[in-house]
Amino acid sequence: MALLLAAVLVTAPAHAAPPASLRLDAGVAEPVDGLAAGARAAFDLAAATGDYVRGEIAVTAGRFDLDLVGPGGHHVRRLASDLDAPGGFQFIVAEAPVRLVVTARTGGGGATLSVAAKVAPAAQKAPTAQFVSPAIAALATHVAAGGSTDAFWQERARQGTPLVEPGPPGMAVVTFVARGARRNVRLLGAPSGDHEWMDRLGESDTWFRSFLVPEDTRLSYKLAPDVPDLPGTPREQRMAILATAQADPLNPAPWPTLAPDPFNQESTLELPRAPAQPGLDDRGAPKGTLAEFRLRSARLGNARTITLYTPAGFDPADQRNVLLLVFDARAYLTKVPTPTILDNLIANRRLPPMIAAFISEVDPRTRAHELPGNPAFADFMAEQVLPLVGEKTGTRIPASRTILAGSSFGGLAAATIALRHPDRFGNAIALSGSFWWHPDDAPADAPEHVADLVARSPRKAVRFHLTAGMFEAGHTGTAGILDTSRHLRDVLRAKDYDVSYREYAGGHDYLVWRGALADALLALVPRL
């Protein structure tokens, strides 16, 4: 039976306790045994007016009521009704003295009554804040003593933000700060994997949020001051963050640098031990060429741009040629400068000659329909995109040297399309793949779709490279990208697939993926 905190199912409130009673204090447990049906046991509680009390009545046999009785024996509150299992209770003593009265609903039962905590009014407040950041702790002390935050912000202007301080071995304390907001500040791209509300330091102009992160962390973020609290759906309220989200004004490394304004930029953090990102530096390597083509699909009912990259000195007859097909073309031509990465890695002979086809999305709504497990889109890739690439480049590259790649829904698409057409696509790169996804008609308790598909199907001739960010854990009881990527890796290995896997101290972030794509190619291509 559930514990009831309201006075419901009251059959006979205890208006007066029996003359004999025991004294009960915090940390003491008293047995209640052998009561006949309707008999009561009373316990005078050692508590004063205003005390917070928390305890338990652990029923081992029979059924019991528990009532709180105040001065003069008047009934105050039914704490438990018809309880036949252990149940907790809590209350504030409105007026002392009080008693706890246990009434047996059935004879011969047994229970134990105990008080786990008793907190006086003076102690009923949160403990003094324990700051993770020593710098914020020092500023809090200074502000509490009446000091100004000016020197702190002058130092931040010189050194930049966020603050980075030493943590335990292998870790660092990173503190994001903002100044001057009136109502709130929200942090996009937090190491928690969520959009976090920042805390205000007392009544000062300083907002902050600290995290303990690995020393090889790399991430991008934005600050959103004074996010409006709007009417509407939870999603609409959450999206309001975009109204004010912008680059951190004191961060010295905005990205991209040529964005028109801070609202179109993010701020970056790369700790000293963040892994190298191969191929990003322009070292004068011979540059490949880019050409755009429009491709219409009658089955999908739309058209899109295909951007084709061919490396410098491209030879269609070279048997070493590899074909890379990448989703979300705009992002992988800009935020992840894939042509530059390929130019450099090919020139340095770290990769063989590689053609790349960048598949543009029509719009966000269509992307969310096409990329996750869509057979029609998979067939479009196999039956239209591949022939177009072959026609434009004069090549016939086998499936064993053809790679699908993408991030988020694009990573999910790479895996599901390769599994549907292994005779066309023999390799899949999933960067932070959305392997939490289920079809719309799947039951709520359905297993992870791609992992289940792999487990139930015969092994296909597909190689995999999977990545995930350590900051991509799930929230509120749902599996996140980190957990589902690990699970898919394990299922693939159990089915004897060729799979490589890597985790990064980062989140769902193109700043991470621009290195992860190069790492994936360097891990996968030598196995072709």
Side-chain angles (χ1 to χ4, degrees), residues 224-366:
D226 293 320
V227 178
D229 186 10
L230 301 176
T233 67
R235 175 172 174 77
E236 289 170 339
Q237 293 168 351
R238 182 176 174 86
M239 293 298 290
I241 192 174
L242 300 178
T244 67
Q246 57 196 274
D248 181 347
L250 297 181
N251 182 294
W255 177 65
T257 55
L258 298 180
D261 53 65
F263 295 94
N264 287 281
Q265 284 182 316
E266 296 176 83
S267 299
T268 64
L269 170 67
E270 297 180 282
L271 296 187
R273 296 186 61 184
Q277 295 190 310
L280 282 179
D281 295 335
D282 189 349
R283 302 183 179 228
K287 296 188 182 301
T289 60
L290 294 173
E292 291 186 354
F293 306 94
R294 291 290 290 176
L295 184 59
R296 172 165 291 278
S297 168
R299 184 175 176 186
L300 295 175
N302 56 40
R304 73 196 66 233
T305 299
I306 308 296
T307 303
L308 192 60
Y309 164 90
T310 50
F314 173 62
D315 178 4
D318 193 332
Q319 297 300 304
R320 298 173 301 151
N321 285 337
V322 174
L323 172 59
L324 172 68
L325 300 107
V326 187
F327 301 111
D328 296 317
R330 184 180 306 160
Y332 278 88
L333 289 167
T334 56
K335 289 185 175 182
V336 179
T338 311
T340 297
I341 293 170
L342 295 179
D343 288 340
N344 291 328
L345 296 182
I346 293 169
N348 294 334
R349 292 184 169 83
R350 299 184 68 184
L351 288 177
M354 184 172 291
I355 307 163
F358 299 88
I359 319 303
S360 67
E361 63 276 25
V362 175
D363 54 53
R365 184 185 297 273
T366 305

Side-chain angles (χ1 to χ4, degrees), residues 24-25 27-30 54-58 89 100 112-116:
L24 184 66
D25 204 346
V28 177
E30 291 289 352
R54 175 170 53 82
E56 181 185 55
I57 176 169
F89 59 86
L100 294 174
T112 301
L113 184 66
S114 61
V115 173

Side-chain angles (χ1 to χ4, degrees), residues 73-91:
H74 72 273
H75 175 80
V76 175
R77 182 173 179 178
R78 172 63 54 91
L79 298 174
S81 185
D82 202 16
L83 193 68
D84 62 358
F89 59 86
Q90 54 185 319
F91 58 87

Side-chain angles (χ1 to χ4, degrees), residues 4 25 32 44 56 103 109 113 139-140 171 185-186 317 371 396 402 437 448 457:
L4 303 180
D25 204 346
V32 181
D44 291 328
E56 181 185 55
T103 304
L113 184 66
L139 180 62
M171 306 293 285
V185 182
R186 203 160 187 188
L371 292 185
R396 290 180 60 88
T402 300
W437 175 84
E448 294 159 22
S457 304

